[in-house]
Amino acid sequence: MGSTTSCCVSGSPKLRRNAHSRLEPYHQESDLSREETACNLQHISDRENIDELNMEYNPSDHPRASTIFLSKSHNDGEQPVFLNGIFLSLRRKYSSCSTIFLDDNTVSQPNLKYTIKCVTLAIYYHIKNRDTNGGMLLDIFDEKLHPLSKSEVPLDYNQHDPEQKQIYRFVRTLFSAAQLTAECAIVTLVYLERLLTYAEIDICPGNWKRIVLGAILLASKVWDDQAVWNVDYCQILKDITVEDMNELERQFLELLQFNINVPSSVYAKYYFDLRSLSESNNLSFPLEPLSREKAQKLEAISRLCDDKYKDIRRAARKRSASMDNLCGRRWVPAILS
């Protein structure tokens, strides 16, 4: 996952169509001179300069492109963090000389509970602030055509936006039953935004469950060493068949153009953008005072890192002293008065 290149990486179909649509059809005219016809031909640098467009439209592929969920959250003025209808006003804790507050959430070991909350909040903003014109709808994600339960799907299933708590319960149930990690939740969000970009679709109340399920299914197989099989999800969602899960996975991969590569820089960008989303929505990660046991653990880790890079620093100091043979060291006695 740390590689920034992949043989499967390819641009969005929308970008390729836009790029080729810029080419004017060329018909050779015998009556026109070479100088007159050359102005109608597009330069090769203009035809192949598609990377800049990919930087803008594919945040799941490029670390410098801003994430879609963060931009959608900035367009929304409301903050959906509620508890029994009462807005949560969380007090921020500050460290002092006697007490140091730390959280157990890092980019290499995210907190599972709060990472799932942030990911579901990002999905909530995707659904709420989706394109009003509506993108292309695919049957494989339609909950009316492929229901996840035997209960009857209401007629207005595609008209009412789900609450953030409903999305959180759905994702938390899958992660708890399948014992997935917090890193898998971040990769799930990467695949979700890559699907929306590549396939040119919008996530809406009628397809969000199957889109999220397909992203979790694929992320668990790519990230975890011991992946959950499709038949295991059929035991979590009792009314879904293995054939439906297989078809969902197959079409999800085809819409991603089999690009399942997630560079480490893209993963880190999504992690820190999720932290920014949590802070802007008063969903702060829990802070705990630094205990004696945790301080000793941090000191042990620091000592291991110091021993690991000691030889590197010693070699760097030796390379910097390249003038020793020309100018020898002279010791000057100090006079103490």
Side-chain angles (χ1 to χ4, degrees), residues 71-107:
S71 60
K72 287 183 178 293
S73 65
H74 292 161
N75 298 333
D76 192 275
E78 300 179 2
Q79 296 177 341
V81 185
F82 289 88
L83 180 62
N84 297 329
I86 303 175
F87 182 75
L88 293 178
S89 58
L90 303 178
R91 293 181 299 177
R92 184 181 296 273
K93 298 179 180 180
Y94 296 94
S95 301
S96 62
C97 296
S98 59
T99 305
I100 300 177
F101 291 99
L102 296 176
D103 60 42
D104 60 345
N105 188 71
T106 61
V107 66

PDB file of all heavy atoms in Angstrom, residues 71-107:
ATOM      1  N   SER A  71     -14.876  18.901   1.742  1.00  0.00           N
ATOM      2  CA  SER A  71     -15.460  20.044   1.044  1.00  0.00           C
ATOM      3  C   SER A  71     -16.971  20.066   1.185  1.00  0.00           C
ATOM      4  O   SER A  71     -17.579  21.135   1.306  1.00  0.00           O
ATOM      5  CB  SER A  71     -15.071  20.001  -0.439  1.00  0.00           C
ATOM      6  OG  SER A  71     -15.544  18.810  -1.049  1.00  0.00           O
ATOM      7  N   LYS A  72     -17.614  18.903   1.196  1.00  0.00           N
ATOM      8  CA  LYS A  72     -19.059  18.858   1.392  1.00  0.00           C
ATOM      9  C   LYS A  72     -19.447  19.271   2.809  1.00  0.00           C
ATOM     10  O   LYS A  72     -20.507  19.865   3.025  1.00  0.00           O
ATOM     11  CB  LYS A  72     -19.592  17.455   1.091  1.00  0.00           C
ATOM     12  CG  LYS A  72     -19.607  17.102  -0.393  1.00  0.00           C
ATOM     13  CD  LYS A  72     -20.202  15.734  -0.628  1.00  0.00           C
ATOM     14  CE  LYS A  72     -20.264  15.414  -2.117  1.00  0.00           C
ATOM     15  NZ  LYS A  72     -21.216  16.275  -2.845  1.00  0.00           N
ATOM     16  N   SER A  73     -18.617  18.950   3.784  1.00  0.00           N
ATOM     17  CA  SER A  73     -18.925  19.347   5.159  1.00  0.00           C
ATOM     18  C   SER A  73     -18.788  20.844   5.349  1.00  0.00           C
ATOM     19  O   SER A  73     -19.494  21.443   6.168  1.00  0.00           O
ATOM     20  CB  SER A  73     -17.997  18.617   6.131  1.00  0.00           C
ATOM     21  OG  SER A  73     -16.645  19.020   5.939  1.00  0.00           O
ATOM     22  N   HIS A  74     -17.895  21.493   4.578  1.00  0.00           N
ATOM     23  CA  HIS A  74     -17.749  22.942   4.674  1.00  0.00           C
ATOM     24  C   HIS A  74     -18.949  23.671   4.092  1.00  0.00           C
ATOM     25  O   HIS A  74     -19.233  24.809   4.484  1.00  0.00           O
ATOM     26  CB  HIS A  74     -16.477  23.384   3.966  1.00  0.00           C
ATOM     27  CG  HIS A  74     -15.234  22.932   4.649  1.00  0.00           C
ATOM     28  ND1 HIS A  74     -13.994  22.877   4.020  1.00  0.00           N
ATOM     29  CD2 HIS A  74     -15.010  22.482   5.907  1.00  0.00           C
ATOM     30  CE1 HIS A  74     -13.080  22.438   4.857  1.00  0.00           C
ATOM     31  NE2 HIS A  74     -13.669  22.189   6.019  1.00  0.00           N
ATOM     32  N   ASN A  75     -19.652  23.019   3.175  1.00  0.00           N
ATOM     33  CA  ASN A  75     -20.833  23.630   2.580  1.00  0.00           C
ATOM     34  C   ASN A  75     -22.063  23.513   3.456  1.00  0.00           C
ATOM     35  O   ASN A  75     -23.108  24.080   3.124  1.00  0.00           O
ATOM     36  CB  ASN A  75     -21.127  22.992   1.218  1.00  0.00           C
ATOM     37  CG  ASN A  75     -20.004  23.206   0.227  1.00  0.00           C
ATOM     38  OD1 ASN A  75     -19.263  24.182   0.310  1.00  0.00           O
ATOM     39  ND2 ASN A  75     -19.868  22.285  -0.713  1.00  0.00           N
ATOM     40  N   ASP A  76     -21.948  22.793   4.544  1.00  0.00           N
ATOM     41  CA  ASP A  76     -23.104  22.572   5.413  1.00  0.00           C
ATOM     42  C   ASP A  76     -22.925  23.393   6.685  1.00  0.00           C
ATOM     43  O   ASP A  76     -21.863  23.396   7.300  1.00  0.00           O
ATOM     44  CB  ASP A  76     -23.224  21.090   5.769  1.00  0.00           C
ATOM     45  CG  ASP A  76     -24.560  20.764   6.410  1.00  0.00           C
ATOM     46  OD1 ASP A  76     -24.687  20.925   7.633  1.00  0.00           O
ATOM     47  OD2 ASP A  76     -25.472  20.366   5.672  1.00  0.00           O
ATOM     48  N   GLY A  77     -23.971  24.077   7.083  1.00  0.00           N
ATOM     49  CA  GLY A  77     -23.889  24.920   8.271  1.00  0.00           C
ATOM     50  C   GLY A  77     -24.279  24.223   9.545  1.00  0.00           C
ATOM     51  O   GLY A  77     -24.007  24.714  10.637  1.00  0.00           O
ATOM     52  N   GLU A  78     -24.918  23.030   9.451  1.00  0.00           N
ATOM     53  CA  GLU A  78     -25.382  22.340  10.634  1.00  0.00           C
ATOM     54  C   GLU A  78     -24.338  21.339  11.097  1.00  0.00           C
ATOM     55  O   GLU A  78     -23.495  20.888  10.340  1.00  0.00           O
ATOM     56  CB  GLU A  78     -26.700  21.608  10.354  1.00  0.00           C
ATOM     57  CG  GLU A  78     -27.815  22.553   9.918  1.00  0.00           C
ATOM     58  CD  GLU A  78     -29.093  21.795   9.628  1.00  0.00           C
ATOM     59  OE1 GLU A  78     -29.094  20.560   9.806  1.00  0.00           O
ATOM     60  OE2 GLU A  78     -30.077  22.435   9.228  1.00  0.00           O
ATOM     61  N   GLN A  79     -24.420  20.973  12.364  1.00  0.00           N
ATOM     62  CA  GLN A  79     -23.531  20.003  12.955  1.00  0.00           C
ATOM     63  C   GLN A  79     -24.380  18.890  13.558  1.00  0.00           C
ATOM     64  O   GLN A  79     -25.058  19.092  14.567  1.00  0.00           O
ATOM     65  CB  GLN A  79     -22.647  20.636  14.043  1.00  0.00           C
ATOM     66  CG  GLN A  79     -21.712  21.695  13.480  1.00  0.00           C
ATOM     67  CD  GLN A  79     -20.901  22.367  14.556  1.00  0.00           C
ATOM     68  OE1 GLN A  79     -21.246  22.312  15.722  1.00  0.00           O
ATOM     69  NE2 GLN A  79     -19.820  23.013  14.159  1.00  0.00           N
ATOM     70  N   PRO A  80     -24.377  17.683  12.977  1.00  0.00           N
ATOM     71  CA  PRO A  80     -25.308  16.641  13.388  1.00  0.00           C
ATOM     72  C   PRO A  80     -24.848  15.824  14.580  1.00  0.00           C
ATOM     73  O   PRO A  80     -25.046  14.625  14.627  1.00  0.00           O
ATOM     74  CB  PRO A  80     -25.383  15.771  12.139  1.00  0.00           C
ATOM     75  CG  PRO A  80     -24.029  15.861  11.557  1.00  0.00           C
ATOM     76  CD  PRO A  80     -23.568  17.269  11.836  1.00  0.00           C
ATOM     77  N   VAL A  81     -24.184  16.433  15.570  1.00  0.00           N
ATOM     78  CA  VAL A  81     -23.739  15.704  16.741  1.00  0.00           C
ATOM     79  C   VAL A  81     -24.754  15.956  17.843  1.00  0.00           C
ATOM     80  O   VAL A  81     -24.748  17.009  18.481  1.00  0.00           O
ATOM     81  CB  VAL A  81     -22.322  16.137  17.171  1.00  0.00           C
ATOM     82  CG1 VAL A  81     -21.837  15.284  18.319  1.00  0.00           C
ATOM     83  CG2 VAL A  81     -21.366  16.042  15.984  1.00  0.00           C
ATOM     84  N   PHE A  82     -25.649  14.997  18.089  1.00  0.00           N
ATOM     85  CA  PHE A  82     -26.723  15.155  19.049  1.00  0.00           C
ATOM     86  C   PHE A  82     -26.748  13.955  19.988  1.00  0.00           C
ATOM     87  O   PHE A  82     -26.297  12.863  19.649  1.00  0.00           O
ATOM     88  CB  PHE A  82     -28.082  15.274  18.351  1.00  0.00           C
ATOM     89  CG  PHE A  82     -28.268  16.576  17.627  1.00  0.00           C
ATOM     90  CD1 PHE A  82     -27.854  16.717  16.309  1.00  0.00           C
ATOM     91  CD2 PHE A  82     -28.838  17.664  18.258  1.00  0.00           C
ATOM     92  CE1 PHE A  82     -28.017  17.900  15.635  1.00  0.00           C
ATOM     93  CE2 PHE A  82     -29.010  18.856  17.585  1.00  0.00           C
ATOM     94  CZ  PHE A  82     -28.603  18.983  16.276  1.00  0.00           C
ATOM     95  N   LEU A  83     -27.298  14.173  21.158  1.00  0.00           N
ATOM     96  CA  LEU A  83     -27.506  13.114  22.120  1.00  0.00           C
ATOM     97  C   LEU A  83     -28.849  13.348  22.766  1.00  0.00           C
ATOM     98  O   LEU A  83     -29.012  14.254  23.582  1.00  0.00           O
ATOM     99  CB  LEU A  83     -26.395  13.095  23.178  1.00  0.00           C
ATOM    100  CG  LEU A  83     -26.513  12.013  24.261  1.00  0.00           C
ATOM    101  CD1 LEU A  83     -26.453  10.636  23.620  1.00  0.00           C
ATOM    102  CD2 LEU A  83     -25.436  12.178  25.314  1.00  0.00           C
ATOM    103  N   ASN A  84     -29.845  12.514  22.374  1.00  0.00           N
ATOM    104  CA  ASN A  84     -31.210  12.660  22.870  1.00  0.00           C
ATOM    105  C   ASN A  84     -31.767  14.040  22.571  1.00  0.00           C
ATOM    106  O   ASN A  84     -32.482  14.643  23.378  1.00  0.00           O
ATOM    107  CB  ASN A  84     -31.272  12.381  24.376  1.00  0.00           C
ATOM    108  CG  ASN A  84     -30.883  10.943  24.716  1.00  0.00           C
ATOM    109  OD1 ASN A  84     -31.114  10.034  23.911  1.00  0.00           O
ATOM    110  ND2 ASN A  84     -30.297  10.739  25.878  1.00  0.00           N
ATOM    111  N   GLY A  85     -31.412  14.564  21.391  1.00  0.00           N
ATOM    112  CA  GLY A  85     -31.949  15.848  20.979  1.00  0.00           C
ATOM    113  C   GLY A  85     -31.218  17.038  21.557  1.00  0.00           C
ATOM    114  O   GLY A  85     -31.562  18.181  21.268  1.00  0.00           O
ATOM    115  N   ILE A  86     -30.203  16.823  22.391  1.00  0.00           N
ATOM    116  CA  ILE A  86     -29.468  17.912  23.023  1.00  0.00           C
ATOM    117  C   ILE A  86     -28.104  18.004  22.375  1.00  0.00           C
ATOM    118  O   ILE A  86     -27.404  17.000  22.204  1.00  0.00           O
ATOM    119  CB  ILE A  86     -29.322  17.690  24.541  1.00  0.00           C
ATOM    120  CG1 ILE A  86     -30.717  17.539  25.164  1.00  0.00           C
ATOM    121  CG2 ILE A  86     -28.581  18.838  25.185  1.00  0.00           C
ATOM    122  CD1 ILE A  86     -30.663  17.207  26.641  1.00  0.00           C
ATOM    123  N   PHE A  87     -27.721  19.186  21.995  1.00  0.00           N
ATOM    124  CA  PHE A  87     -26.435  19.382  21.329  1.00  0.00           C
ATOM    125  C   PHE A  87     -25.306  19.158  22.320  1.00  0.00           C
ATOM    126  O   PHE A  87     -25.342  19.623  23.455  1.00  0.00           O
ATOM    127  CB  PHE A  87     -26.354  20.784  20.753  1.00  0.00           C
ATOM    128  CG  PHE A  87     -25.078  21.062  20.015  1.00  0.00           C
ATOM    129  CD1 PHE A  87     -24.865  20.531  18.757  1.00  0.00           C
ATOM    130  CD2 PHE A  87     -24.085  21.813  20.590  1.00  0.00           C
ATOM    131  CE1 PHE A  87     -23.696  20.782  18.078  1.00  0.00           C
ATOM    132  CE2 PHE A  87     -22.914  22.060  19.920  1.00  0.00           C
ATOM    133  CZ  PHE A  87     -22.725  21.545  18.664  1.00  0.00           C
ATOM    134  N   LEU A  88     -24.323  18.417  21.884  1.00  0.00           N
ATOM    135  CA  LEU A  88     -23.177  18.114  22.733  1.00  0.00           C
ATOM    136  C   LEU A  88     -22.202  19.285  22.732  1.00  0.00           C
ATOM    137  O   LEU A  88     -21.667  19.650  21.705  1.00  0.00           O
ATOM    138  CB  LEU A  88     -22.464  16.844  22.225  1.00  0.00           C
ATOM    139  CG  LEU A  88     -23.243  15.534  22.342  1.00  0.00           C
ATOM    140  CD1 LEU A  88     -22.407  14.402  21.754  1.00  0.00           C
ATOM    141  CD2 LEU A  88     -23.593  15.237  23.773  1.00  0.00           C
ATOM    142  N   SER A  89     -21.979  19.867  23.862  1.00  0.00           N
ATOM    143  CA  SER A  89     -20.975  20.921  23.998  1.00  0.00           C
ATOM    144  C   SER A  89     -19.801  20.337  24.771  1.00  0.00           C
ATOM    145  O   SER A  89     -19.795  20.291  26.001  1.00  0.00           O
ATOM    146  CB  SER A  89     -21.568  22.125  24.744  1.00  0.00           C
ATOM    147  OG  SER A  89     -22.045  21.731  26.006  1.00  0.00           O
ATOM    148  N   LEU A  90     -18.852  19.832  24.038  1.00  0.00           N
ATOM    149  CA  LEU A  90     -17.709  19.170  24.648  1.00  0.00           C
ATOM    150  C   LEU A  90     -16.674  20.201  25.070  1.00  0.00           C
ATOM    151  O   LEU A  90     -16.329  21.095  24.310  1.00  0.00           O
ATOM    152  CB  LEU A  90     -17.090  18.173  23.663  1.00  0.00           C
ATOM    153  CG  LEU A  90     -18.048  17.103  23.133  1.00  0.00           C
ATOM    154  CD1 LEU A  90     -17.322  16.219  22.121  1.00  0.00           C
ATOM    155  CD2 LEU A  90     -18.595  16.265  24.265  1.00  0.00           C
ATOM    156  N   ARG A  91     -16.208  20.049  26.292  1.00  0.00           N
ATOM    157  CA  ARG A  91     -15.188  20.951  26.800  1.00  0.00           C
ATOM    158  C   ARG A  91     -13.814  20.442  26.396  1.00  0.00           C
ATOM    159  O   ARG A  91     -13.497  19.273  26.582  1.00  0.00           O
ATOM    160  CB  ARG A  91     -15.296  21.072  28.318  1.00  0.00           C
ATOM    161  CG  ARG A  91     -16.556  21.769  28.800  1.00  0.00           C
ATOM    162  CD  ARG A  91     -16.576  21.871  30.310  1.00  0.00           C
ATOM    163  NE  ARG A  91     -16.556  20.545  30.919  1.00  0.00           N
ATOM    164  CZ  ARG A  91     -16.502  20.354  32.242  1.00  0.00           C
ATOM    165  NH1 ARG A  91     -16.432  21.383  33.054  1.00  0.00           N
ATOM    166  NH2 ARG A  91     -16.485  19.132  32.727  1.00  0.00           N
ATOM    167  N   ARG A  92     -13.004  21.338  25.898  1.00  0.00           N
ATOM    168  CA  ARG A  92     -11.655  20.975  25.482  1.00  0.00           C
ATOM    169  C   ARG A  92     -10.734  20.956  26.685  1.00  0.00           C
ATOM    170  O   ARG A  92     -10.767  21.852  27.523  1.00  0.00           O
ATOM    171  CB  ARG A  92     -11.146  21.968  24.441  1.00  0.00           C
ATOM    172  CG  ARG A  92      -9.783  21.604  23.877  1.00  0.00           C
ATOM    173  CD  ARG A  92      -9.344  22.646  22.863  1.00  0.00           C
ATOM    174  NE  ARG A  92     -10.238  22.646  21.727  1.00  0.00           N
ATOM    175  CZ  ARG A  92     -10.085  21.848  20.678  1.00  0.00           C
ATOM    176  NH1 ARG A  92      -9.085  20.986  20.633  1.00  0.00           N
ATOM    177  NH2 ARG A  92     -10.925  21.902  19.670  1.00  0.00           N
ATOM    178  N   LYS A  93      -9.901  19.940  26.758  1.00  0.00           N
ATOM    179  CA  LYS A  93      -8.955  19.804  27.853  1.00  0.00           C
ATOM    180  C   LYS A  93      -7.588  20.276  27.387  1.00  0.00           C
ATOM    181  O   LYS A  93      -7.183  20.035  26.255  1.00  0.00           O
ATOM    182  CB  LYS A  93      -8.870  18.343  28.323  1.00  0.00           C
ATOM    183  CG  LYS A  93     -10.190  17.801  28.869  1.00  0.00           C
ATOM    184  CD  LYS A  93     -10.036  16.360  29.298  1.00  0.00           C
ATOM    185  CE  LYS A  93     -11.350  15.806  29.841  1.00  0.00           C
ATOM    186  NZ  LYS A  93     -11.225  14.391  30.266  1.00  0.00           N
ATOM    187  N   TYR A  94      -6.891  20.948  28.291  1.00  0.00           N
ATOM    188  CA  TYR A  94      -5.568  21.475  27.987  1.00  0.00           C
ATOM    189  C   TYR A  94      -4.563  20.894  28.975  1.00  0.00           C
ATOM    190  O   TYR A  94      -4.868  20.690  30.151  1.00  0.00           O
ATOM    191  CB  TYR A  94      -5.555  23.002  28.053  1.00  0.00           C
ATOM    192  CG  TYR A  94      -6.433  23.664  27.014  1.00  0.00           C
ATOM    193  CD1 TYR A  94      -7.755  24.018  27.319  1.00  0.00           C
ATOM    194  CD2 TYR A  94      -5.970  23.925  25.734  1.00  0.00           C
ATOM    195  CE1 TYR A  94      -8.566  24.621  26.371  1.00  0.00           C
ATOM    196  CE2 TYR A  94      -6.775  24.527  24.783  1.00  0.00           C
ATOM    197  CZ  TYR A  94      -8.067  24.881  25.108  1.00  0.00           C
ATOM    198  OH  TYR A  94      -8.875  25.471  24.166  1.00  0.00           O
ATOM    199  N   SER A  95      -3.361  20.652  28.472  1.00  0.00           N
ATOM    200  CA  SER A  95      -2.295  20.131  29.321  1.00  0.00           C
ATOM    201  C   SER A  95      -1.724  21.245  30.193  1.00  0.00           C
ATOM    202  O   SER A  95      -1.752  22.430  29.843  1.00  0.00           O
ATOM    203  CB  SER A  95      -1.188  19.513  28.466  1.00  0.00           C
ATOM    204  OG  SER A  95      -1.697  18.456  27.674  1.00  0.00           O
ATOM    205  N   SER A  96      -1.206  20.854  31.333  1.00  0.00           N
ATOM    206  CA  SER A  96      -0.591  21.791  32.264  1.00  0.00           C
ATOM    207  C   SER A  96       0.743  21.222  32.713  1.00  0.00           C
ATOM    208  O   SER A  96       1.176  20.162  32.233  1.00  0.00           O
ATOM    209  CB  SER A  96      -1.512  22.038  33.469  1.00  0.00           C
ATOM    210  OG  SER A  96      -1.738  20.843  34.176  1.00  0.00           O
ATOM    211  N   CYS A  97       1.393  21.891  33.636  1.00  0.00           N
ATOM    212  CA  CYS A  97       2.690  21.416  34.122  1.00  0.00           C
ATOM    213  C   CYS A  97       2.551  20.113  34.909  1.00  0.00           C
ATOM    214  O   CYS A  97       3.468  19.290  34.915  1.00  0.00           O
ATOM    215  CB  CYS A  97       3.337  22.484  35.009  1.00  0.00           C
ATOM    216  SG  CYS A  97       3.726  24.020  34.140  1.00  0.00           S
ATOM    217  N   SER A  98       1.416  19.918  35.552  1.00  0.00           N
ATOM    218  CA  SER A  98       1.225  18.725  36.374  1.00  0.00           C
ATOM    219  C   SER A  98       0.505  17.601  35.638  1.00  0.00           C
ATOM    220  O   SER A  98       0.646  16.435  36.009  1.00  0.00           O
ATOM    221  CB  SER A  98       0.439  19.089  37.637  1.00  0.00           C
ATOM    222  OG  SER A  98      -0.824  19.651  37.285  1.00  0.00           O
ATOM    223  N   THR A  99      -0.257  17.932  34.613  1.00  0.00           N
ATOM    224  CA  THR A  99      -1.065  16.927  33.917  1.00  0.00           C
ATOM    225  C   THR A  99      -0.908  17.103  32.412  1.00  0.00           C
ATOM    226  O   THR A  99      -1.014  18.222  31.905  1.00  0.00           O
ATOM    227  CB  THR A  99      -2.548  17.044  34.294  1.00  0.00           C
ATOM    228  OG1 THR A  99      -2.676  16.976  35.721  1.00  0.00           O
ATOM    229  CG2 THR A  99      -3.346  15.912  33.667  1.00  0.00           C
ATOM    230  N   ILE A 100      -0.663  16.003  31.718  1.00  0.00           N
ATOM    231  CA  ILE A 100      -0.555  15.986  30.262  1.00  0.00           C
ATOM    232  C   ILE A 100      -1.671  15.104  29.723  1.00  0.00           C
ATOM    233  O   ILE A 100      -1.810  13.947  30.124  1.00  0.00           O
ATOM    234  CB  ILE A 100       0.821  15.466  29.810  1.00  0.00           C
ATOM    235  CG1 ILE A 100       1.938  16.360  30.344  1.00  0.00           C
ATOM    236  CG2 ILE A 100       0.892  15.387  28.294  1.00  0.00           C
ATOM    237  CD1 ILE A 100       3.331  15.875  29.998  1.00  0.00           C
ATOM    238  N   PHE A 101      -2.467  15.651  28.792  1.00  0.00           N
ATOM    239  CA  PHE A 101      -3.570  14.912  28.180  1.00  0.00           C
ATOM    240  C   PHE A 101      -3.147  14.414  26.802  1.00  0.00           C
ATOM    241  O   PHE A 101      -2.612  15.177  25.994  1.00  0.00           O
ATOM    242  CB  PHE A 101      -4.819  15.793  28.053  1.00  0.00           C
ATOM    243  CG  PHE A 101      -5.450  16.120  29.379  1.00  0.00           C
ATOM    244  CD1 PHE A 101      -5.200  17.330  29.998  1.00  0.00           C
ATOM    245  CD2 PHE A 101      -6.287  15.206  30.002  1.00  0.00           C
ATOM    246  CE1 PHE A 101      -5.782  17.634  31.216  1.00  0.00           C
ATOM    247  CE2 PHE A 101      -6.881  15.509  31.221  1.00  0.00           C
ATOM    248  CZ  PHE A 101      -6.626  16.723  31.833  1.00  0.00           C
ATOM    249  N   LEU A 102      -3.395  13.124  26.558  1.00  0.00           N
ATOM    250  CA  LEU A 102      -3.074  12.503  25.282  1.00  0.00           C
ATOM    251  C   LEU A 102      -4.259  11.664  24.838  1.00  0.00           C
ATOM    252  O   LEU A 102      -5.068  11.212  25.657  1.00  0.00           O
ATOM    253  CB  LEU A 102      -1.827  11.610  25.398  1.00  0.00           C
ATOM    254  CG  LEU A 102      -0.499  12.286  25.746  1.00  0.00           C
ATOM    255  CD1 LEU A 102       0.584  11.232  25.913  1.00  0.00           C
ATOM    256  CD2 LEU A 102      -0.095  13.278  24.676  1.00  0.00           C
ATOM    257  N   ASP A 103      -4.384  11.472  23.522  1.00  0.00           N
ATOM    258  CA  ASP A 103      -5.361  10.516  22.996  1.00  0.00           C
ATOM    259  C   ASP A 103      -4.622   9.329  22.408  1.00  0.00           C
ATOM    260  O   ASP A 103      -3.437   9.402  22.084  1.00  0.00           O
ATOM    261  CB  ASP A 103      -6.274  11.159  21.948  1.00  0.00           C
ATOM    262  CG  ASP A 103      -5.524  11.691  20.750  1.00  0.00           C
ATOM    263  OD1 ASP A 103      -4.602  11.014  20.270  1.00  0.00           O
ATOM    264  OD2 ASP A 103      -5.849  12.794  20.277  1.00  0.00           O
ATOM    265  N   ASP A 104      -5.337   8.219  22.296  1.00  0.00           N
ATOM    266  CA  ASP A 104      -4.732   6.984  21.791  1.00  0.00           C
ATOM    267  C   ASP A 104      -4.975   6.802  20.310  1.00  0.00           C
ATOM    268  O   ASP A 104      -5.019   5.672  19.811  1.00  0.00           O
ATOM    269  CB  ASP A 104      -5.279   5.780  22.560  1.00  0.00           C
ATOM    270  CG  ASP A 104      -6.787   5.648  22.421  1.00  0.00           C
ATOM    271  OD1 ASP A 104      -7.419   6.624  21.988  1.00  0.00           O
ATOM    272  OD2 ASP A 104      -7.326   4.567  22.743  1.00  0.00           O
ATOM    273  N   ASN A 105      -5.126   7.911  19.594  1.00  0.00           N
ATOM    274  CA  ASN A 105      -5.427   7.854  18.163  1.00  0.00           C
ATOM    275  C   ASN A 105      -4.241   8.388  17.378  1.00  0.00           C
ATOM    276  O   ASN A 105      -3.883   9.568  17.483  1.00  0.00           O
ATOM    277  CB  ASN A 105      -6.675   8.683  17.861  1.00  0.00           C
ATOM    278  CG  ASN A 105      -7.152   8.504  16.440  1.00  0.00           C
ATOM    279  OD1 ASN A 105      -7.674   7.452  16.062  1.00  0.00           O
ATOM    280  ND2 ASN A 105      -6.986   9.533  15.634  1.00  0.00           N
ATOM    281  N   THR A 106      -3.613   7.520  16.594  1.00  0.00           N
ATOM    282  CA  THR A 106      -2.492   7.905  15.740  1.00  0.00           C
ATOM    283  C   THR A 106      -2.763   7.429  14.325  1.00  0.00           C
ATOM    284  O   THR A 106      -3.677   6.634  14.081  1.00  0.00           O
ATOM    285  CB  THR A 106      -1.172   7.311  16.253  1.00  0.00           C
ATOM    286  OG1 THR A 106      -1.272   5.874  16.252  1.00  0.00           O
ATOM    287  CG2 THR A 106      -0.863   7.794  17.669  1.00  0.00           C
ATOM    288  N   VAL A 107      -1.963   7.901  13.383  1.00  0.00           N
ATOM    289  CA  VAL A 107      -2.166   7.536  11.985  1.00  0.00           C
ATOM    290  C   VAL A 107      -1.860   6.058  11.754  1.00  0.00           C
ATOM    291  O   VAL A 107      -2.437   5.430  10.868  1.00  0.00           O
ATOM    292  CB  VAL A 107      -1.294   8.428  11.075  1.00  0.00           C
ATOM    293  CG1 VAL A 107       0.185   8.169  11.307  1.00  0.00           C
ATOM    294  CG2 VAL A 107      -1.664   8.243   9.621  1.00  0.00           C
TER     295      VAL A 107
END
